[in-house]
Amino acid sequence: MKTFENQAAQGDLLIRRIDAIPANAKPMKAEKGNFIVAHSETGHHHVIAERPGVQVFVTDDPMVSYLQVIDATEKTEALLEHLRGHDTHETIAVPSGTFELRRQREYTPEGWRQVAD
């Protein structure tokens, strides 16, 4: 399992430590016990399990969300997992703190688009 202090990446998702959650961010609702932080058309989502002290926030920008982890311990740590049975990205243990979760994008002749993982 990977760990980090200030910045990490998992597939097309970049995680970076920030000072505060923006005022316009709203709490995300978990689906079946998971926060889907990067949706995949094939069902291979990047998720963080719903746990005490872990909250994900969204804004109007679908490419950016935010994560707050309060007092991470072995029982309350935030694990970023890739839901794919094969050729998967390694799980990342997110430490206590506030983070921006940014989807990567790529340029095509039609314009910018979200990177497909």
Side-chain angles (χ1 to χ4, degrees):
M1 182 177 330
K2 285 184 180 179
T3 59
F4 72 99
E5 279 299 315
N6 294 312
Q7 187 169 298
Q10 186 186 72
D12 62 335
L13 185 67
L14 176 66
I15 309 156
R16 73 179 184 95
R17 188 179 293 274
I18 59 173
D19 293 329
I21 303 289
N24 66 334
K26 296 177 177 45
M28 174 190 281
K29 291 186 180 184
E31 295 180 29
K32 298 180 183 176
N34 286 316
F35 296 108
I36 299 175
V37 297
H39 186 272
S40 169
E41 297 75 25
T42 59
H44 303 142
H45 309 310
H46 297 259
V47 302
I48 297 173
E50 182 179 27
R51 296 197 178 181
V54 175
Q55 182 61 59
V56 177
F57 298 84
V58 295
T59 64
D60 293 336
D61 184 346
M63 300 293 282
V64 180
S65 57
Y66 299 92
L67 169 65
Q68 188 167 43
V69 181
I70 300 170
D71 297 328
T73 67
E74 213 170 288
K75 290 184 178 182
T76 62
E77 66 188 348
L79 299 178
L80 176 59
E81 298 182 86
H82 184 216
L83 300 182
R84 187 172 176 180
H86 64 285
D87 191 30
T88 189
H89 304 297
E90 187 173 3
T91 297
I92 298 174
V94 181
S96 296
T98 304
F99 301 89
E100 177 188 73
L101 308 174
R102 182 173 291 274
R103 297 290 301 267
Q104 293 183 39
R105 59 188 185 149
E106 62 188 354
Y107 182 77
T108 68
E110 293 80 31
W112 289 97
R113 71 174 182 191
Q114 183 174 299
V115 171
D117 184 26

